[in-house]
């Protein structure tokens, strides 16, 4: 079905944002990053041909600006209105792009981030933010339905938060997650609010911060995400990771490991690759902290093989670092140094 969908989209895809968005989520879930990149290329072609908007950031040197080499977002043109030459009626030139156009940026974010291009991934949420600000200034009803605009607002936090998290800027990520949570603007079964609540819980539990949601609240959140037809297949298992991390924080270590083992089993059987890798990473990290090393090497090898085979470059450096820690823990210091050097090289490459 995905092959047929891509074929159908070749000529008319720009007017089928829901199909494109759902296809990109399916490709992410199953770890098919090469195909996601193809879809992103198709999206870029559509922006350029149909809307006369170049989504390739130029000059590229501005993506490595300052310290720690963050992109200077203000140096890029990010048009949010119909351009001259666009295939729309003359009276639409200069008006705000419709919601259907902006959905494509989410595909670009996912493709760039998971491929390791985190600087590029930071650009597109900013582009969406500028559009949302203009929409709110001119009036939502002039451009889109309210729930669609709120969903895009949530997408800013949902897509950009993980970038800040993987860079180690946890407070920046948490600040982003609070925006849709505090606004409490609902659409698509509150999907965007549920996603950022899950992301917030994971960051808080894994970094030792105070928890906003206890186990009861997280269990309710899991049920809501599992029942939401607009959410992803991996949704409840993402919450399971947050529940497991919270259980461990509360000293219920065996229960945490049991839930994590079940999550690994389910995501492996369902081939929910991204959730599977995250669960394997989490168990390996815990194993190193707790001295429970029986599954640690197998988990790391499996996760690394999945990342390499699927093109999930953004996740590789930490896994090599954890593998180095594992080798050091069992006294194989030569291998530990080798794996750590590989981790350093991969971090530099990012």
């Amino acid at each position: 079905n995905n092959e047929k969908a891509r074929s159908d989209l070749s000529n008319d895809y720009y007017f089928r944002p829901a199909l494109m968005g759902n296809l990109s989520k399916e490709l992410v879930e199953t770890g098919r990053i090469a195909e996601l990149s193809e879809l992103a290329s198709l999206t870029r072609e559509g922006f350029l041909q149909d809307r006369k908007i170049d989504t390739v950031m130029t000059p590229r040197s501005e993506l490595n600006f300052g310290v720690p080499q963050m992109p200077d977002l203000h140096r890029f043109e990010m048009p949010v209105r119909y351009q001259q030459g666009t295939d729309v009626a003359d009276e639409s030139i200069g008006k705000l792009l419709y919601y259907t156009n902006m959905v494509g940026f989410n595909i670009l974010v996912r493709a760039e981030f998971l491929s390791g291009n985190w600087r590029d991934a930071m650009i597109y949420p900013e582009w969406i933010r500028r559009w949302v600000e203009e929409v709110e200034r001119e009036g939502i009803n002039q451009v889109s339905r309210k729930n669609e605009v709120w969903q895009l607002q949530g997408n800013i936090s949902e897509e950009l938060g993980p970038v800040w998290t993987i860079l180690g800027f946890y407070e920046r990520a948490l600040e982003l997650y609070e925006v849709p949570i505090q606004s409490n603007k609902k659409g698509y079964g509150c999907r965007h609010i549920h996603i950022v609540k899950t992301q917030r819980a994971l960051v808080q539990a894994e970094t030792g911060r105070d928890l906003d949601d206890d186990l009861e609240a997280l269990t309710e959140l899991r049920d809501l995400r599992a029942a939401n037809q607009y959410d992803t297949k991996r949704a409840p298992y993402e919450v399971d990771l947050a529940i497991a991390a919270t259980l461990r924080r509360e000293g219920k270590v065996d229960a945490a490991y049991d839930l994590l083992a079940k999550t690994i089993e389910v995501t492996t059987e369902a081939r929910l690759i991204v959730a599977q890798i995250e669960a394997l990473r989490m168990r390996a990290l815990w194993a190193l902290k707790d001295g429970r090393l029986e599954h640690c090497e197998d988990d790391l090898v499996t996760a690394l093989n999945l990342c390499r085979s699927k093109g999930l470059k953004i996740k590789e450096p930490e896994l090599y670092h954890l593998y180095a820690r594992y080798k050091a823990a069992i006294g194989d210091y030569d291998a530990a140094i080798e794996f750590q050097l590989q981790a350093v090289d991969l971090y530099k490459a990012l």
Side-chain angles (χ1 to χ4, degrees):
N1 288 338
N2 288 340
E3 290 295 334
K4 183 179 186 303
R6 278 193 296 277
S7 176
D8 290 344
L9 289 171
S10 60
N11 295 318
D12 195 28
Y13 83 94
Y14 208 76
F15 301 99
R16 303 182 186 183
L19 178 58
M20 286 196 70
N22 290 337
L23 177 57
S24 72
K25 291 175 186 177
E26 173 70 16
L27 295 175
V28 170
E29 286 203 323
T30 52
R32 293 147 68 187
I33 306 308
E35 293 174 72
L36 179 64
S37 296
E38 291 177 13
L39 189 63
S41 295
L42 191 62
T43 302
R44 293 185 190 282
E45 291 171 12
F47 271 114
L48 190 59
Q49 293 174 9
D50 301 333
R51 296 294 175 259
K52 309 306 176 187
I53 293 175
D54 187 357
T55 59
V56 177
M57 299 295 101
T58 55
R60 301 295 294 173
S61 60
E62 302 297 354
L63 285 173
N64 294 282
F65 182 84
V67 178
Q69 294 192 331
M70 295 294 185
D72 187 353
L73 302 180
H74 300 291
R75 295 182 181 228
F76 297 105
E77 291 187 12
M78 301 182 191
V80 296
R81 298 176 182 275
Y82 288 107
Q83 309 292 296
Q84 288 289 342
T86 300
D87 59 344
V88 295
D90 290 342
E91 59 267 23
S92 294
I93 302 300
K95 292 185 178 180
L96 285 168
L97 296 167
Y98 283 105
Y99 164 82
T100 52
N101 298 289
M102 303 308 296
V103 168
F105 287 113
N106 290 324
I107 298 169
L108 301 181
V109 175
R110 293 162 191 155
E112 296 292 359
F113 178 59
L114 293 174
S115 299
N117 303 320
W118 59 268
R119 293 180 182 86
D120 299 74
M122 296 182 81
I123 296 291
Y124 303 111
E126 171 64 15
W127 208 323
I128 294 173
R129 186 189 66 77
R130 294 184 185 185
W131 179 84
V132 168
E133 285 186 349
E134 289 295 309
V135 169
E136 290 181 327
R137 187 175 295 116
E138 293 195 8
I140 290 177
N141 293 331
Q142 300 298 317
V143 181
S144 182
R145 294 178 297 178
K146 290 183 178 180
N147 65 327
E148 293 172 337
V149 176
W150 296 337
Q151 178 61 45
L152 279 172
Q153 282 181 311
N155 288 149
I156 297 170
S157 300
E158 174 190 343
E159 304 292 354
L160 188 55
V163 181
W164 287 117
T165 297
I166 210 158
L167 294 173
F169 293 92
Y170 303 117
E171 290 302 328
R172 293 291 295 273
L174 290 170
E175 288 171 7
L176 271 174
Y177 296 147
E178 285 301 319
V179 175
I181 292 171
Q182 294 302 321
S183 70
N184 199 34
K185 294 175 179 176
K186 301 173 182 178
Y188 296 99
C190 298
R191 175 180 62 191
H192 60 287
I193 296 177
H194 296 161
I195 291 172
V196 295
K197 279 191 172 185
T198 304
Q199 293 170 321
R200 180 182 69 178
L202 276 168
V203 171
Q204 290 175 338
E206 286 211 297
T207 60
R209 287 167 168 76
D210 292 338
L211 303 174
D212 282 287
D213 293 312
D214 58 17
L215 286 172
E216 182 178 354
L218 289 174
T219 301
E220 181 181 354
L221 178 62
R222 187 196 192 281
D223 292 340
L224 289 170
R225 294 196 67 184
N228 190 347
Q229 63 176 324
Y230 299 109
D231 215 324
T232 61
K233 294 178 184 177
R234 72 178 186 274
Y237 310 117
E238 288 178 336
V239 186
D240 281 341
L241 295 177
I243 292 173
T246 303
L247 285 168
R248 187 171 178 274
R249 276 277 302 271
E250 295 186 356
K252 302 170 183 176
V253 178
D254 289 338
Y257 274 96
D258 288 345
L259 179 55
L260 198 50
K262 181 180 178 182
T263 303
I264 291 171
E265 180 182 354
V266 173
T267 55
T268 301
E269 290 178 356
R271 296 197 58 76
L272 300 173
I273 301 298
V274 172
Q276 179 190 358
I277 291 171
E278 185 58 27
L280 290 166
R281 180 204 68 85
M282 184 178 285
R283 186 163 72 175
L285 179 62
W286 292 2
L288 291 166
K289 292 180 178 180
D290 301 337
R292 298 188 178 193
L293 300 179
E294 59 269 23
H295 298 293
C296 190
E297 185 167 27
D298 287 343
D299 287 348
L300 290 170
V301 170
T302 300
L304 278 167
N305 285 338
L306 286 170
C307 285
R308 286 195 292 253
S309 66
K310 299 297 184 178
L312 285 155
K313 294 181 181 179
I314 197 67
K315 296 182 178 293
E316 285 189 45
E318 184 187 8
L319 293 172
Y320 273 100
H321 169 65
L322 293 177
Y323 210 163
R325 288 178 56 185
Y326 169 77
K327 290 296 186 181
I330 63 173
D332 190 351
Y333 298 112
D334 289 340
I337 292 171
E338 183 63 30
F339 279 116
Q340 187 63 13
L341 288 173
Q342 290 185 59
V344 171
D345 287 342
L346 288 169
Y347 276 122
K348 287 181 177 179
L350 293 179

